[in-house]
Amino acid sequence: MTVAATPAPSPATTGGQSGVRLARSRRNAELSLLLLAMVLVAAYGATVEANLLDTVTPDFWMPAAALGAVFLGLHLVIRFLAPFADPALLPAVALLNGIGVGFLRRFDLGEAPVADRESLAIFAGIGGRQLAWTLGGVILAAGLLAIMRDHRSVSRYAYTLGLAGIVLVMLPAVLPSSISERNGAKLWIEVGSFSIQPGEFAKLALLVFFAYYLVRKREVLSLASRRFLGIDFPRGRDLGPVVVVWLISLLVLVFEKDLGTSLLYFGMFVVTLYIATERVSWLLIGLVLFFGGAYLAYLLGSTVGGPFANFYVRAEIWLDPFADPTDKGYQLVQGLLALGTGGLFGAGPGGGQPEILPEVENDFIFAGIGEEIGLFGLSALLVVYLLIVERGLRAALAVRDSFGKLLAGGLAFTLGLQVFVIVGGISGLIPLTGQTTPFLSAGGSSLMANWLLIAVLLRVSDGARRPVTGGGGKAVRPSGGPPEQLHGAPTEVIKP
């Protein structure tokens, strides 16, 4: 077979007035939703002050205004650099980010002496630092949109990014525990006051490599060896890639002592593989390999110990947290009690006691927020996360090149899987992990990496929704059909 390059249709830039009007209306919708999100964040801050201070200070609106200015700047960048991007992504993420900053501000007020609460500076404490990290993350996202004008351009560096991702994943495991271990998991690099979680950036680099690799190998990986119970299973010789990633995920589980990170890396590869091949058998193989490996690590932890001991202890806490509720199971028990105390409607923003919950600003922020907004409020937050994942998957379905489909689909699933890992650990569904809740938890690494993830989804959705020139020079929306390349790049045509 031969591959011939043919020019792709040029995007509607001057002649497609309908496409221009579409872009303007979508950006205006984005702006309206963004303003609504900031109004909700301001209302949340006012309610916190009313419950904690018995009054609402004249400055209650300032954190929401500062966030609104930051997000407005990104909105303007999107308006000019990605005018056809999905209009729901930025407002949804801004709402989550704003609620996170608001809760961390509430945590600062709760930790301060009662007499000093009204005078606590708006930009002080953990909440103030999170505002600064938000600004940094948004600047990175805007920079990525400015540099990456076409999502396919990043595929040129796929192997470099893959190698960098593996190095970032394994680096904390080989460093001394004194500078890499926190709360039993080796996920950090800490030197003095500087700390970074390299795995947050590794997932982006690895996803680019996975998408690039699977686009080129999907035909081989789609071949079936035999059919069992109506499912086509791959040939044994094609299991190599999934076995390699499985072994790396087990190394992460054992030496970095974190189930969530291991599940995240392996899960995003298997799902990207499923998107590429449409073979359900890869999902079944992935589930058997991962849970079989995790159970083996548990058995080795109970008998051999050594590097498997930490995972065994976490699994034991998960199986019965109330066996030692004042020591090993204290954090999980307090999280479950916080969720139970919140009930359906919660104690109200500022009405709970999240200060007694260990790591409430990081790993357990979902439980702390849940105590105050209840099951209904948490369900609303999960719906916002679900909306972001759905819009990412929609971009993956609509984009006209295979690399973009795998990249957007993998990014959307990774975000959803990370939320599942966090909520599952807090609620007792799976063992506790060292993952942070995207856009809510305090910390710069997670926040900036996830803003980069959103920037990539915005770029892919811009390519997917961008009109192409139809007959007569009119701008028309793409409506399926064969994959087409965008922005004037050549289209790959496969000829027998």
Side-chain angles (χ1 to χ4, degrees), residues 65-91:
L67 285 169
V70 171
F71 297 140
L72 179 61
L74 182 57
H75 164 76
L76 293 176
V77 171
I78 295 171
R79 184 178 284 268
F80 288 101
L81 298 182
F84 296 92
D86 193 302
L89 281 173
L90 176 59

Side-chain angles (χ1 to χ4, degrees), residues 50-199:
N51 283 326
L52 279 176
L53 309 178
D54 293 326
T55 185
V56 179
T57 66
D59 298 332
F60 81 93
W61 55 273
M62 289 185 64
L67 285 169
V70 171
F71 297 140
L72 179 61
L74 182 57
H75 164 76
L76 293 176
V77 171
I78 295 171
R79 184 178 284 268
F80 288 101
L81 298 182
F84 296 92
D86 193 302
L89 281 173
L90 176 59
V93 175
L95 177 61
L96 292 173
N97 201 157
I99 294 296
V101 171
F103 179 80
L104 294 173
R105 163 73 177 168
R106 176 260 176 275
F107 180 74
D108 292 330
L109 289 172
E111 289 282 277
V114 176
D116 299 335
R117 287 179 178 177
E118 285 194 40
S119 60
L120 184 67
I122 294 294
F123 302 106
I126 300 176
R129 289 197 297 272
Q130 192 72 353
L131 269 172
W133 285 123
T134 300
L135 175 60
V138 168
I139 290 175
L140 282 179
L144 185 60
L145 287 173
I147 295 172
M148 188 176 64
R149 298 300 183 94
D150 186 334
H151 61 269
R152 293 166 299 162
S153 62
V154 74
S155 65
R156 303 171 188 168
Y157 313 101
Y159 287 103
T160 302
L161 290 173
L163 178 61
I166 294 175
V167 171
L168 290 174
V169 168
M170 303 308 297
L171 191 56
V174 300
L175 292 176
S177 298
S178 59
I179 63 173
S180 63
E181 186 168 334
R182 182 186 296 182
N183 299 324
K186 298 187 65 175
L187 301 174
W188 295 84
I189 298 177
E190 297 178 325
V191 180
S193 60
F194 172 80
S195 64
I196 186 173
Q197 194 171 355

Side-chain angles (χ1 to χ4, degrees), residues 277-464:
T277 62
E278 300 181 8
R279 296 289 189 190
V280 178
S281 56
W282 284 116
L283 295 179
L284 298 178
I285 292 171
L287 289 173
V288 170
L289 285 175
F290 183 81
F291 289 109
Y295 183 66
L296 178 61
Y298 172 78
L299 294 179
L300 292 175
S302 64
T303 55
V304 178
F308 305 96
N310 183 272
F311 176 68
Y312 173 76
V313 171
R314 289 203 176 199
E316 286 293 300
I317 294 172
W318 166 61
L319 290 172
D320 189 4
F322 291 91
D324 191 3
T326 60
D327 187 12
K328 293 180 179 179
Y330 180 76
Q331 186 181 32
L332 181 55
V333 167
Q334 291 300 316
L336 295 173
L337 290 176
L339 293 174
T341 303
L344 291 177
F345 300 100
Q353 294 179 303
E355 299 85 4
I356 65 175
L357 185 59
E359 299 294 329
V360 68
E361 72 277 17
N362 294 315
D363 300 5
F364 270 67
I365 194 170
F366 212 75
I369 294 177
E371 181 185 8
E372 299 191 338
I373 65 175
L375 178 62
F376 286 166
L378 288 183
S379 298
L381 288 182
L382 290 176
V383 168
V384 177
Y385 280 115
L386 184 61
L387 173 65
I388 298 172
V389 173
E390 184 271 334
R391 304 306 283 198
L393 293 176
R394 175 175 292 191
L397 290 172
V399 74
R400 285 156 281 175
D401 65 283
S402 299
F403 175 76
K405 289 181 181 294
L406 294 183
L407 182 61
L411 289 172
F413 172 80
T414 299
L415 182 65
L417 180 60
Q418 188 168 351
V419 175
F420 166 78
V421 166
I422 287 293
V423 176
I426 293 172
S427 61
L429 182 63
I430 62 174
L432 282 176
T433 70
Q435 292 291 311
T436 55
T437 310
F439 305 109
L440 289 178
S441 297
S445 299
S446 174
L447 191 60
M448 290 193 291
N450 283 305
W451 270 110
L452 289 174
L453 183 152
I454 294 300
V456 178
L457 286 181
L458 286 168
R459 175 54 69 202
V460 175
S461 68
D462 175 65

